[in-house]
Each structure stands twice: as structure tokens, then as C-alpha cells.
Amino acid sequence: MVATGFASFDTTVDKTNRLLKDIEDAYGWPKERRKQSYAALRAVLHQLRDRLTVDEAVQFGAQLPMLVRGIYYEGWRPAETPVKMHSEEFYRRIRHDFPYSIQGDTEQLVHTVLETLQRHISEGEWHDLRARMPADLVTVIPG
């Protein structure tokens, strides 16, 4: 655990590191690839956020650890959401935002990140997220 001297910060750094480690473990990446797990998380979160309505995005963001919430909201333009996109566009945008090579394909990367997020979000909020997604994108969100 990181010791910042402020309990709330220590907790959010620890939760964020666990989330990133879970992504790394799912991919078999060593800790030295932390920048890649961060980039994968960020790319998926941003496209997910941009597809949701403002209210839905805020409800989902409230479930995230404080540090991850900052990543999630970084650069957000609520007036420009939701961005209508089908699953192919969703994957294309994530691939564009993820600057590293991928084992497998973008779908596998997205699935890995979302499965990891699912373990860190309340079950009720996860079901709400799936219920709010259009039919073409609900298949992207693990059940």
C-alpha cells in the first residue's frame, strides 16, 4: 500500500493499483507494463462514459474509486454526450486511444477491462449500466 499520509488518498491509490493489477493479471502482463493497463482502462472508460447520457455517466462514475473517477472524468464534455456509436465504432475509438500493440484484438482488450471493472463495481450498478446501453453495445458489457 502507498503511504501518502492521508487515509482517503492511500485507499484510492491502493484500489486503483489493484484494478490495474487485475488487468495485468488477466493479460499476463508484468507490473512493468502498468502504463499499458492504465491506457487500456482509460480508453475503455472514456468511450463508455461518452456513450452514456450525462445522468448515467455520473451514476456510473460515482461507483469508481476516487482516483479512477478522476481518470474517467478527464477531458469530459457533458454537452457533447451521449455520442451515438455502434459496437464497431466503440471498438475503433478504443483502439485509437490505446497506443500499444494488442495480444488478440480490441474486443479482447475491452472485454478484459470491463470484466475487471465489473469486479470493482456494485452488482446493481453493473446491471444498471447494461440496462442503459443500446442493444448493439449491451453485448460488449459482460453480464
Side-chain angles (χ1 to χ4, degrees):
M1 183 166 181
V2 174
T4 64
F6 191 62
S8 295
F9 290 172
D10 292 345
T11 299
T12 195
V13 169
D14 186 49
K15 286 179 179 180
T16 302
N17 277 325
R18 278 188 273 138
L19 182 69
L20 295 173
K21 184 179 182 320
D22 286 352
I23 293 169
E24 292 157 8
D25 289 348
Y27 254 101
W29 293 340
K31 185 177 180 179
E32 292 76 31
R33 293 178 78 175
R34 181 62 45 100
K35 287 181 182 179
Q36 285 181 255
S37 58
Y38 166 78
L41 176 65
R42 184 179 181 275
V44 171
L45 282 174
H46 283 189
Q47 293 311 313
L48 191 62
R49 172 205 70 198
D50 289 349
R51 180 56 190 95
L52 297 170
T53 67
V54 172
D55 287 345
E56 293 164 346
V58 170
Q59 287 174 19
F60 182 74
Q63 292 285 310
L64 300 170
M66 181 177 23
L67 184 57
V68 176
R69 196 175 318 133
I71 296 164
Y72 177 72
Y73 286 121
E74 175 191 11
W76 188 35
R77 296 185 177 131
E80 297 176 12
T81 59
V83 175
K84 304 292 183 192
M85 65 180 99
H86 50 76
S87 59
E88 289 177 25
E89 177 71 5
F90 183 77
Y91 290 128
R92 188 191 66 70
R93 288 170 176 254
I94 289 169
R95 184 65 192 116
H96 177 267
D97 292 346
F98 183 73
Y100 300 96
S101 63
I102 298 176
Q103 293 172 317
D105 58 15
T106 305
E107 289 182 38
Q108 180 183 346
L109 178 78
V110 170
H111 187 75
T112 298
V113 171
L114 289 175
E115 277 190 335
T116 301
L117 274 172
Q118 184 179 12
R119 291 191 299 271
H120 294 266
I121 302 292
S122 76
E123 186 176 337
E125 182 57 36
W126 196 260
H127 288 293
D128 288 349
L129 174 67
R130 284 183 50 85
R132 292 182 287 231
M133 296 304 282
D136 188 42
L137 280 175
V138 76
T139 59
V140 172
I141 312 296

